């Protein structure tokens, strides 16, 4: 991997029990600063601000922050300025930025395996790598419980305290096999067979335990801070990921250089748990996945459907302004279409089984691309027609193992924001630059301006001649450099049909999700034999560009939920205002207010039947941006008293003033 540009930055996060604020984000982004983003991005390390002062003098300030529940980073800056000074700041390193941390985590996996086999002599070991936040090890053994993890951790502490040396040894393949057979570790035999290099390296912990391993490790177990380690969970995992092979016990652990880093990580983990889109989706009644219908199939509830409608409208409006024609195409097609496209050869394991209709085989679509090619092919095109841009919010269906399904992030049916551009070779750069501009505009609409950009080049096996690959790759580079974006080059990481640009955004869990992608394609135009007539009246083949900005509406919605912790900004909130009567005597007036607000395009509802304090608490729990309280005085003066989640009490105002201010704030992506 070759890195171009500087992406490693530090970011300050203030982790309260209510919000995850971002402050100095300007230097993190390769793009323009977006004042409406509160999405926490961790590129190489995170600066955590821990343990705010808890003295009584700061009680008022803390309560103010809790009331506001700020979701916009413009407010985050203000909130951080008002907040009491933190006691300490902790920089969390990563495996990439700290070789010492990587060694600690790798050694912890070995120490854990040693501890397990001391406590459970019949346990068989398999593999134990380091991962982003720690390590894991898979064992063939009896099922484990949380109390078992505590026993294992205590045994690890004893091993660490003994300060045992880690010694590297090189042996022949035959000697390694002899030793493995002598201790009856069948999985290690299979691992040994997969190792191609020689000599075989073994790491010993003292003279009591050893494992096949290439390293690296710390010098002695005493180099590990046992108070900076925690065993987090145990889960089932099939050996080699094959459901036909034994189910193993996988123990996950986290390891850091010191206690403060562990504390910061655990604090972040709690915040991430609070933002889990599956829990929030249920609490706010946004979506569900019904067992009766099948796993991985999303039901959009009314409130979630409103947000989807807003996303789609925003997407369509921008695309039409940028010269795209909108399409709608079928969800199913003859199986022969997928033979021509190559999907049955290269993608069959991700496709649902075919169905027979009147002695012909049909296939649910896993992609939209062939449909768009067919629309292009319906008539002969001239070079003067280019570029041709078509876009579709097309639902596709892909087979995923049930064990891999995960909320909205991995499903079996989802809607891609798909688009294809047919252009000439000398138009590639300008079209790519146009896609980058459009991508920036759409992502910023939803509060995202911090992401990683990757440019993937020609793999070993590819279609198309060297000249067109080189020309397309340089066009992608030129477009990125024109844009002024930092990017990384992934040598050989392109698709077999062309080079590509990928944009990854991070969610509140620190994971990177690939949403936006731009791919140059030399394959489908050839497979479907599409052509155009050039200026010399000769038939030529156009270039095809695939691109998606959001990737999948379902996954993007999941990221949005976690970004805002369900506390959506006014313009995106499914219910913008809730009208609350002090008593049922004001209910008729409240209904009149709701009718007038709805007629003005404001998403509003009335709630009654409870005492006002409970109505307010319920609105807070449902994260409603605005509350309009109506009592006898408001009925008499034909007004409402407004409270904002973001700005507190706004006072008494007329219905027309409320409509005007709400619509202005919503249109400008601000708060009221």
């Amino acid at each position: 991997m070759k890195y171009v540009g500087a992406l490693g930055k530090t970011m300050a996060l203030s982790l309260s029990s209510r919000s995850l604020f971002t402050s100095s984000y300007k230097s993190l982004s390769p793009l323009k600063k977006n004042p409406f983003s509160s999405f926490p991005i961790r590129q190489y390390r995170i600066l955590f601000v821990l343990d705010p002062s808890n003295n009584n003098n700061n009680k008022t300030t803390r309560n103010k922050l809790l009331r506001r529940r700020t979701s916009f980073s413009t407010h985050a800056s203000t909130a951080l300025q008002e907040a009491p000074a933190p006691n300490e700041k902790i920089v969390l390193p990563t495996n990439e930025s700290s070789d010492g941390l990587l060694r600690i985590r790798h050694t912890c996996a070995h120490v854990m395996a040693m501890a397990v086999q001391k406590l459970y002599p019949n346990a068989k070991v398999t593999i134990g790598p380091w991962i982003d936040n720690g390590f894991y090890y898979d064992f063939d053994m009896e099922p484990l419980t949380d109390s078992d993890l505590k026993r294992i951790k205590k045994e690890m502490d004893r091993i660490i305290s003994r300060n045992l040396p880690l010694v590297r040894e090189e042996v022949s393949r035959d000697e390694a096999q002899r030793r493995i057979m002598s201790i009856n570790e069948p999985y290690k035999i299979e691992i040994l067979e997969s190792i191609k290099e020689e000599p075989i390296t073994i790491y010993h912990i003292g003279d009591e335990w050893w494992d096949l391993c290439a390293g690296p490790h710390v010098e002695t177990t005493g180099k590990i801070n046992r108070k900076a380690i925690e065993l987090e969970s145990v889960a089932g995992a099939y050996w080699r990921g094959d459901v036909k092979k034994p189910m193993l016990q996988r123990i996950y652990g986290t390891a850091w250089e010191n206690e403060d880093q562990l504390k910061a990580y655990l604090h972040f983990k709690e915040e991430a748990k609070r933002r889990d889109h599956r829990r929030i989706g249920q609490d706010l009644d946004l979506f569900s996945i019904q067992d009766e219908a099948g796993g991985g199939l999303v039901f959009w509830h009314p409130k979630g459907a409103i947000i989807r409608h807003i996303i789609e409208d925003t997407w369509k409006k921008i695309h039409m302004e940028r010269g795209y024609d909108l399409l709608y195409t079928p969800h199913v097609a003859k199986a022969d279409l997928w033979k021509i496209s190559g999907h049955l050869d290269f993608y069959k394991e991700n496709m649902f089984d075919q169905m027979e209709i009147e002695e012909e085989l049909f296939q649910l679509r896993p992609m939209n691309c062939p449909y768009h090619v067919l629309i292009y092919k319906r008539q002969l095109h001239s070079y003067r027609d280019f570029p041709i841009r078509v876009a579709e919010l097309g639902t596709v269906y892909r087979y995923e193992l049930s064990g891999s399904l995960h909320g909205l992030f991995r499903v079996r049916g989802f809607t891609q924001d798909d688009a294809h551009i047919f252009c000439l070779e000398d138009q590639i750069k300008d079209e790519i630059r146009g896609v980058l501009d459009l991508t920036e505009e759409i992502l910023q609409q939803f509060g995202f301006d911090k992401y990683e950009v990757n440019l993937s080049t020609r793999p070993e096996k590819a279609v198309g001649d060297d000249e067109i690959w080189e020309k397309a790759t340089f066009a992608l580079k030129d477009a990125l450099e024109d844009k002024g974006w930092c990017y990384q080059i992934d040598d050989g990481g392109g698709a077999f049909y062309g080079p590509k640009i990928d944009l990854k955004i991070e969610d509140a869990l620190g994971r990177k999700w690939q949403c936006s992608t731009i791919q140059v394609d030399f394959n489908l135009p050839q497979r479907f034999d599409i052509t155009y007539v050039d200026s010399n009246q000769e038939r030529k083949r156009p270039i095809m560009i695939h691109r998606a900005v959001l990737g999948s509406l379902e996954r993007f919605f999941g990221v949005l939920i976690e970004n805002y912790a369900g506390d959506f900004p006014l313009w995106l909130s499914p219910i913008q205002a809730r009208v609350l009567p002090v008593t049922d005597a004001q209910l008729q007036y409240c209904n009149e207010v709701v009718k007038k607000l709805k007629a003005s395009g404001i998403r509003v509802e009335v709630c009654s039947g409870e005492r006002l304090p409970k109505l307010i608490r319920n609105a807070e729990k449902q994260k409603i941006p605005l509350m309009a309280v109506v009592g006898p005085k408001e009925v008499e003066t034909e007004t409402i008293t407004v409270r904002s989640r973001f700005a507190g009490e706004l006072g008494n105002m007329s219905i027309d003033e409320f409509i005007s201010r709400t619509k202005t704030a919503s249109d400008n992506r601000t708060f009221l």
Side-chain angles (χ1 to χ4, degrees), residues 334-344 363 365 367 370:
K334 291 182 180 180
D336 287 346
L337 181 67
W338 309 104
K339 290 181 182 178
I340 298 171
S341 69
H343 286 91
L344 282 177
Q363 178 78 55
R365 65 176 174 186
M367 305 279 188

Side-chain angles (χ1 to χ4, degrees), residues 85-104:
N87 288 340
E88 58 181 329
K89 295 181 179 180
I90 305 299
V91 174
L92 285 186
T94 66
N95 295 329
E96 292 77 16
S97 67
S98 173
D99 180 67
L101 178 61
L102 186 147
R103 290 172 181 270
I104 287 171

Side-chain angles (χ1 to χ4, degrees), residues 11-14 20-28 33 37 47 49 73 76-78 80-81 450:
M11 181 177 65
L13 298 181
S14 174
L20 181 60
F21 295 128
T22 63
S23 61
S24 52
Y25 56 84
K26 183 175 182 180
S27 61
L28 278 174
K33 184 172 73 172
S37 172
L47 180 64
V49 183
S73 48
S77 301
T78 304
L80 288 171
Q81 290 169 9
K450 310 174 187 72

Side-chain angles (χ1 to χ4, degrees), residues 63-76:
N63 288 341
K64 181 186 289 186
L65 293 180
L66 294 179
R67 284 199 307 271
R68 290 189 177 183
R69 303 282 319 269
T70 308
S71 288
F72 298 145
S73 48
T74 49
H75 285 286

Side-chain angles (χ1 to χ4, degrees), residues 544-558:
M544 185 176 180
I545 299 173
H546 305 253
R547 47 112 304 202
V549 176
L550 306 180
S552 147
L553 294 189
E554 285 75 9
R555 183 171 61 176
F556 186 73
F557 185 41

Side-chain angles (χ1 to χ4, degrees), residues 313-549:
D313 269 9
T314 302
W315 186 90
K316 290 177 182 177
K317 181 176 181 291
I318 293 174
H319 278 76
M320 292 174 72
E321 290 173 352
R322 296 299 183 98
Y324 286 80
D325 292 317
L326 300 183
L327 303 178
Y328 293 96
T329 57
H331 291 220
V332 65
K334 291 182 180 180
D336 287 346
L337 181 67
W338 309 104
K339 290 181 182 178
I340 298 171
S341 69
H343 286 91
L344 282 177
D345 293 328
F346 299 105
Y347 205 72
K348 188 174 182 179
E349 68 277 7
N350 297 107
M351 299 168 66
F352 281 100
D353 289 341
Q354 296 173 2
M355 63 189 85
E356 185 173 335
I357 301 174
E358 296 180 350
E359 299 183 352
E360 282 192 294
L361 293 176
F362 283 74
Q363 178 78 55
L364 282 171
R365 65 176 174 186
M367 305 279 188
N368 302 305
C369 323
Y371 293 93
H372 294 188
V373 174
L374 291 183
I375 290 177
Y376 171 92
K377 197 175 181 180
R378 78 194 188 281
Q379 65 185 53
L380 183 62
H381 292 279
S382 163
Y383 70 96
R384 297 185 182 90
D385 298 331
F386 294 107
I388 297 171
R389 308 182 189 104
V390 293
E392 176 181 14
L393 292 168
T395 301
V396 298
Y397 304 90
R398 297 180 187 175
Y399 173 69
E400 300 279 359
L401 293 172
S402 58
S404 68
L405 300 175
H406 179 78
L408 296 175
F409 289 152
R410 179 159 292 205
V411 294
R412 288 173 171 163
F414 57 92
T415 301
Q416 285 186 312
D417 68 317
D418 230 345
H420 294 92
I421 301 171
F422 300 92
C423 65
L424 309 178
E425 288 184 18
D426 59 5
Q427 294 175 332
I428 296 176
K429 175 186 171 181
D430 290 341
E431 289 305 304
I432 296 297
R433 174 59 195 269
V435 173
L436 296 178
D437 290 341
L438 179 144
T439 298
E440 178 181 30
E441 182 176 356
I442 291 179
L443 291 179
Q444 285 194 349
Q445 290 276 337
F446 297 99
F448 301 117
D449 65 351
K450 310 174 187 72
Y451 31 78
E452 177 186 290
V453 183
N454 297 282
L455 171 60
S456 302
T457 60
R458 181 173 184 160
E460 288 186 13
K461 295 182 179 180
V463 298
D465 58 45
D466 291 342
E467 183 180 352
I468 188 60
W469 266 90
E470 185 175 343
K471 188 169 185 176
T473 303
F474 275 116
L476 297 183
K477 287 182 179 179
D478 286 347
L480 285 169
E481 288 167 6
D482 269 3
K483 190 68 179 165
W485 285 2
C486 298
Y487 62 92
Q488 304 172 21
I489 292 181
D490 182 6
D491 288 319
F496 74 93
Y497 51 77
K500 62 177 181 172
I501 294 172
D502 292 323
L503 276 74
K504 298 179 182 180
I505 60 177
E506 291 192 19
D507 63 14
L509 301 178
R511 297 174 299 182
K512 292 180 180 177
W513 294 97
Q514 179 181 315
C515 289
S516 308
T517 185
I518 308 167
Q519 304 174 355
V520 179
D521 187 357
F522 316 125
N523 178 54
L524 284 186
Q526 180 176 332
R527 281 181 170 271
F528 282 92
D529 191 26
I530 61 174
T531 60
Y532 68 93
V533 178
D534 71 4
S535 58
N536 296 320
Q537 299 301 306
E538 295 180 0
R539 292 289 185 99
K540 295 290 182 66
R541 208 173 298 289
I543 300 296
M544 185 176 180
I545 299 173
H546 305 253
R547 47 112 304 202
V549 176

